[in-house]
């Protein structure tokens, strides 16, 4: 799944012949995009799959967010997160995972949005999920990038008080 151009060409060939790709076909190409760090292309493919009436699995959204981080395409990554949340709200996607929340936090951290990363951490806990050490470290990275020492101290106290989940 590493040859992005070959995967895209095969997907386009299916479309050209009138063969509708499945969510699985899109997943293969999105995985190749993640491996190659091509977040913008992965985001476009997610949009295409959704426009075709398909519901990609959460893993495709997480892969897209991860690829967007590699390509410094935070807007596209956050858009993928928002689409995943909308699908969940509509009942078309299952409950969101710690991985999905953490990927969204990492996008917020990438642009120094400590408040947004902390908000996602709170949302994760409100959803009944236990943040793991990766989630806490991601929010801490956002605080560091934003030079928000008070927020980092509160986060450390919160971590000491409650520990971390098994993730």
């Amino acid at each position: 799944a590493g040859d992005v151009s070959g995967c895209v060409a095969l997907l386009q060939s299916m479309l050209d012949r009138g063969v509708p790709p499945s969510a699985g076909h899109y997943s293969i190409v999105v995985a190749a995009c993640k491996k190659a760090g091509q977040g913008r292309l992965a985001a476009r493919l997610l949009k295409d799959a959704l426009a075709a009436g398909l519901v990609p699995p959460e893993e495709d959204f997480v892969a897209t967010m991860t690829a967007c981080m590699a390509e410094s395409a935070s807007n596209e990554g956050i858009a993928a997160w928002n689409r995943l949340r909308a699908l969940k709200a509509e009942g078309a996607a299952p409950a969101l995972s710690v991985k999905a929340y953490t990927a969204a936090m990492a996008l917020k951290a990438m642009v120094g949005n400590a408040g947004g990363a902390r908000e996602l951490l709170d949302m994760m806990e409100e959803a009944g999920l236990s943040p793991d050490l990766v989630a806490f470290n991601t929010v801490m990275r956002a605080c560091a990038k934003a030079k928000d020492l008070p927020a980092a101290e509160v986060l450390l106290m919160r971590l000491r008080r409650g520990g971390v989940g098994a993730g």
Side-chain angles (χ1 to χ4, degrees):
D3 178 16
V4 177
S5 59
C7 288
V8 170
L10 285 171
L11 194 65
Q12 187 59 51
S13 174
M14 290 177 73
L15 291 166
D16 291 346
R17 291 185 320 215
V19 177
S22 69
H25 292 115
Y26 280 99
S27 292
I28 291 167
V29 186
V30 167
C33 290
K34 176 187 173 193
K35 187 174 180 182
Q38 293 190 22
R40 288 181 179 90
L41 177 56
R44 184 182 61 88
L45 291 165
L46 273 182
K47 283 183 192 176
D48 291 350
L50 290 164
L54 302 172
V55 179
E58 179 186 283
E59 293 80 16
D60 288 0
F61 289 89
V62 173
T64 297
M65 289 187 277
T66 302
C68 285
M69 284 182 270
E71 198 175 16
S72 296
S74 61
N75 290 338
E76 291 86 347
I78 292 298
W81 165 250
N82 290 334
R83 280 193 295 281
L84 178 59
R85 284 186 57 211
L87 287 171
K88 194 250 180 234
E90 295 165 6
L96 303 174
S97 70
V98 170
K99 274 188 168 187
Y101 278 101
T102 303
M105 284 182 229
L107 286 160
K108 300 284 185 176
M110 186 175 87
V111 296
N113 183 348
R118 288 192 320 271
E119 182 180 314
L120 288 168
L121 185 69
D122 293 340
M123 287 172 56
M124 180 192 302
E125 290 180 318
E126 288 166 9
L129 298 172
S130 297
D132 58 11
L133 193 56
V134 175
F136 274 102
N137 283 339
T138 301
V139 178
M140 189 63 71
R141 197 169 58 246
C143 292
K145 186 160 186 160
K147 297 179 178 26
D148 190 347
L149 183 60
E153 290 173 341
V154 167
L155 188 63
L156 278 175
M157 288 190 312
R158 181 174 167 183
L159 182 58
R160 282 187 191 132
R161 193 174 51 245
V164 295

